[in-house]
DNA sequence: TTGTATGCGTTATCAA
DNA sequence: TTGATAACGCATACAA
């Protein structure tokens, strides 16, 4: 129970080692060029003895570098995000950065608040954002004021920042193609409200293109509220009603929707894939467990995180490369739910 | 494309408003007591115009407060952790703190590294740790040097810090009791290596106590490697072999084990609950989906996060209350997998 | 009601 | 090879 040992400062180290703090500072920053072995050793000794660590704020104040990267995700509890954050963290920590994670709950005003608070006080050197899509203006502004920004998974309307996503369009098309080849005559598109979410929109677009529907008149697009299981079930029933006598399947726009859909199908006692096929994003752990196995698309979240981190750090270090979109490959796992006998 | 607009400082605001920076500082900190409406307005105007935000490092350097709380979790990708982090974040953000999240991957040396780097440079004001259990010494040291620490979910050997967990012992006992009442004659305990993980150890202890087994000679304790599905299956078969002609069930020590066990059972084509019952931690989304529904224990991760955040912040604000363990209630969801007809 | 001067712990410039 | 000193941006004790 020591009373309250004040953290040692560079001055204490200096006086204990009987050199100036300039020398200590040199030592700490590895500038040994003109330093005698003698003093080097002495300093090392004192540093160890005091267990001295330089104060980050003083350093940051001087250098204008915090060693912090801000990460703004829409929903940290989704496997996509938590794996993304892990990828970001792994890369950043390796390079000596720490990450500040904030969770917007898909709420644009929270997003706004966090963005402002993170860059406002010079807190972070760069930003990785999984945006709600409703703060393009603010992001633009922050970017033009000099904060390096990288978008993860969801793009902005105008390409302005490096954007790491997966090949949403191509993968959706390939999956629908697989459905056709499997023999499904009608495929519905189940989605949450698409709002400004670019991934959802692109998947939707790929769906419309594949079946050559006009935007206004696609018969089997269902926007569902995943928290309302009754409504989900009703949508499934409506789709079935519209496709009597045909083979049919549901494509889920994301993992949450896929879960809700499968839940509904199980509840209705329908048999997959004969009564109805199912596939979609995302390939979460349970997809193999529910008989007959749910076909699902695995996104490279971890790699997205890694790549996003790599790009912000490059920008922080001065890269002026033109902003570009990087599409990482995802993977369709075909299972029983889309395998018609 | 403005060239590079330097961030405004308090000095710029001062000169533009034609008052001293002291007055600006007062204004920024809401000390309006003796300030004329006139200057107040003028300053407000300039602040808005310049879009000025005080520099956090300078503030931190002065005040020795970073507004940052460090969160060290063992595995951010597990639902338990990501929900925990969300709870922590929600509470902290509300109180004006940001959180720095680090992920140890259950690796004690990474944990050590992050702990040191987080508190080392005065970076964080407090720490919430979901510890691997292998750094008790370091945690002790950091704590005694003045860093407020709260443990989330996993306790240390000696009670030294506030520890927020759920009622592991009681819940395990209650669940086993439910199994007995359901008619299961033998219940196995499936676990990952227990190591220094306090939650696993406590659940194990509750199991031994319930069946009055001596620590050394519990016949149905299986330590499995969840990545090795063959081995998992062999353990299940071994258990079945030992209990021919009896009703039996498996208790899984956590969500990862539960998943592996269910996967094995499905693969073996066994019927739940008749061939074998299943229950355990954790109640993740898929538990209702796998027929006949998997009985599972839901942990209050979010509340653990909230409470942990509340405690660190209280400590940061000077609370000297004696360290204590807070056990939050968890909930057993009984489903088909433990309902013998 | 407002301003002056000093210090927080570092790093960098210049001089020795 | 080393040291004195100024500066980073802000908050505060003390003066006015």
């Amino acid at each position: 129970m020591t009373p309250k040992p004040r953290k040692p400062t560079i001055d204490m180290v200096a006086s204990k080692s009987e050199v100036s703090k300039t020398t200590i500072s040199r030592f700490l920053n590895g500038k040994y060029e003109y330093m005698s072995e003698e003093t080097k050793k002495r300093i090392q000794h004192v540093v160890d003895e005091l267990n001295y660590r330089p104060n980050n704020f003083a350093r940051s104040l001087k250098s204008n570098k915090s060693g912090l990267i801000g990460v703004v995700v829409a929903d940290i509890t989704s496997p996509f995000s938590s794996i993304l954050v892990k990828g970001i963290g792994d890369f950043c920590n390796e390079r000596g950065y720490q990450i500040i994670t904030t969770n917007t709950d898909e709420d644009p005003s929270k997003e706004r608040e966090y963005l402002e608070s993170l860059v406002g006080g010079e807190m972070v050197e760069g930003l990785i954002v999984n945006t709600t899509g409703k703060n393009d203006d603010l992001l633009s502004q922050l970017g033009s004021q000099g904060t390096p920004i990288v978008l993860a998974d969801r793009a902005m309307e105008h390409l302005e920042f490096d954007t790491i996503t997966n090949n949403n369009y191509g993968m959706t098309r390939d999956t629908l193609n697989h459905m056709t080849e499997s023999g499904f005559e009608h495929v519905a598109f189940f989605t949450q409200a698409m709002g400004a979410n670019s991934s959802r929109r692109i998947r939707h677009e790929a769906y419309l293109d594949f079946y050559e529907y006009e935007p206004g008149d696609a018969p089997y697009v269902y926007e569902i509220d995943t928290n309302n299981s009754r409504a989900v079930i009703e949508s499934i029933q409506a789709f079935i009603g519209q496709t009597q006598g045909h083979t049919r399947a549901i494509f889920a726009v994301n993992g949450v929707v896929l879960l809700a859909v499968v839940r509904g199908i199980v509840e209705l006692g329908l048999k997959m894939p004969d009564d109805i096929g199912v596939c979609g994003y995302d390939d979460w752990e349970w997809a193999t467990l529910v008989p007959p196995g749910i076909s699902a698309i695995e996104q490279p979240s971890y790699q997205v995180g890694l790549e996003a981190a790599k790009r912000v750090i490059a920008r922080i270090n001065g890269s002026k490369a033109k902003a570009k979109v990087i599409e990482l490959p995802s993977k369709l796992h075909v299972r029983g739910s889309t395998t018609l006998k």
Side-chain angles (χ1 to χ4, degrees), chain A:
Chain A
M1 270 294 173
T2 10
K4 184 145 194 185
R6 269 199 73 61
K7 289 255 162 83
T9 75
I10 201 173
D11 281 303
M12 302 184 193
V13 181
S15 67
K16 254 212 156 163
S17 332
E18 302 182 297
V19 291
S20 77
K21 56 185 195 170
T22 306
T23 307
I24 308 292
S25 177
R26 286 206 187 91
F27 173 86
L28 293 172
N29 294 294
K31 299 181 176 164
Y32 304 134
E33 302 141 57
Y34 299 104
M35 201 176 304
S36 72
E37 274 306 316
E38 160 62 16
T39 39
K40 202 157 124 187
K41 254 187 214 135
R42 204 147 29 115
I43 297 176
Q44 184 60 268
H45 184 78
V46 176
V47 165
D48 290 345
E49 188 185 337
L50 263 48
N51 191 14
Y52 167 77
R53 299 295 223 97
N55 177 310
N56 271 305
F57 305 130
R59 276 199 159 159
S60 298
L61 182 57
K62 244 340 233 192
S63 63
N64 241 320
K65 290 187 189 324
S66 64
L68 260 25
I69 287 175
V71 176
V72 180
V73 296
D75 175 15
I76 181 76
T77 67
S78 106
F80 179 86
S81 298
S82 60
I83 295 175
L84 176 82
V85 167
K86 177 171 165 162
I88 295 173
D90 283 358
F91 192 92
C92 289
N93 289 329
E94 194 124 318
R95 303 308 196 79
Y97 287 88
Q98 292 290 356
I99 65 178
I100 298 189
T101 314
T102 60
N103 182 60
T104 66
D105 270 331
E106 300 277 7
D107 175 350
S109 75
K110 270 198 194 173
E111 179 175 55
R112 202 169 185 85
E113 181 193 331
Y114 292 146
L115 287 173
E116 285 179 334
S117 115
L118 286 178
V119 314
E122 309 270 283
M123 181 93 87
V124 301
E125 292 184 47
L127 232 33
I128 295 174
V129 187
N130 174 227
T131 178
T132 63
K134 300 260 180 65
N135 281 314
D136 287 14
D137 51 344
L138 176 57
L139 285 166
S140 264
Q141 185 200 326
L142 296 177
S144 70
Q145 285 173 3
T147 306
I149 298 181
V150 169
L151 300 178
D153 189 49
R154 302 177 184 173
M156 281 172 38
E157 240 176 288
H158 301 288
L159 171 58
E160 192 168 340
F161 303 119
D162 291 328
T163 306
I164 325 293
T165 68
N166 66 88
N167 56 339
N168 286 299
Y169 191 97
M171 194 69 241
T172 302
R173 188 195 51 219
D174 293 353
T175 302
L176 294 173
N177 202 38
H178 153 74
M179 303 300 279
T180 301
E181 287 178 351
S182 292
F184 290 102
E185 298 170 84
H186 299 296
V187 175
F189 187 86
F190 272 58
T191 182
Q192 290 170 309
M194 291 188 286
N197 183 309
S198 73
S199 295
R200 291 181 202 161
R201 300 190 82 91
I202 292 173
R203 293 167 193 175
H204 180 237
E205 192 189 329
Y207 169 83
L208 295 181
D209 288 357
F210 186 83
Y211 290 109
E212 298 178 350
Y213 289 134
E214 289 307 311
D217 98 302
Y220 308 134
V221 171
Y222 296 88
E223 189 174 306
I224 62 172
D225 169 5
T226 52
N227 293 317
N228 181 345
S229 57
R230 277 249 46 79
V232 174
I233 284 178
E234 279 161 20
S235 294
I236 296 172
Q237 286 174 318
F239 174 51
I240 290 179
Q242 286 178 83
T243 52
Q244 289 299 350
H246 294 272
T247 53
R248 58 183 155 243
I250 292 175
F251 178 94
V253 77
N254 65 30
V256 176
V257 171
L258 185 59
L259 186 71
V261 165
V262 170
R263 211 187 285 279
I265 288 175
V266 168
E267 208 153 312
L268 284 169
L270 297 171
K271 263 193 78 72
M272 294 178 277
D274 301 305
D275 294 338
I276 191 164
V278 175
C279 68
Y281 290 86
D282 294 292
D283 187 36
W284 292 341
E285 51 189 11
W286 55 269
T288 56
L289 279 182
V290 181
I294 308 298
S295 296
I297 299 167
E298 178 189 357
Q299 297 193 67
S301 328
Y302 186 81
Q303 280 73 19
V304 171
L306 239 40
E307 189 63 30
K310 187 171 148 196
R311 309 293 293 189
V312 237
I313 292 182
R315 297 270 168 201
I316 289 173
N317 292 330
S319 157
K320 293 283 178 246
K322 199 161 152 250
K324 71 173 181 179
V325 174
I326 299 178
E327 284 200 349
L328 267 25
S330 38
K331 186 166 187 316
L332 169 64
H333 296 269
V334 175
R335 305 201 176 94
S337 69
T338 59
T339 312
L340 282 174
K341 281 100 216 208

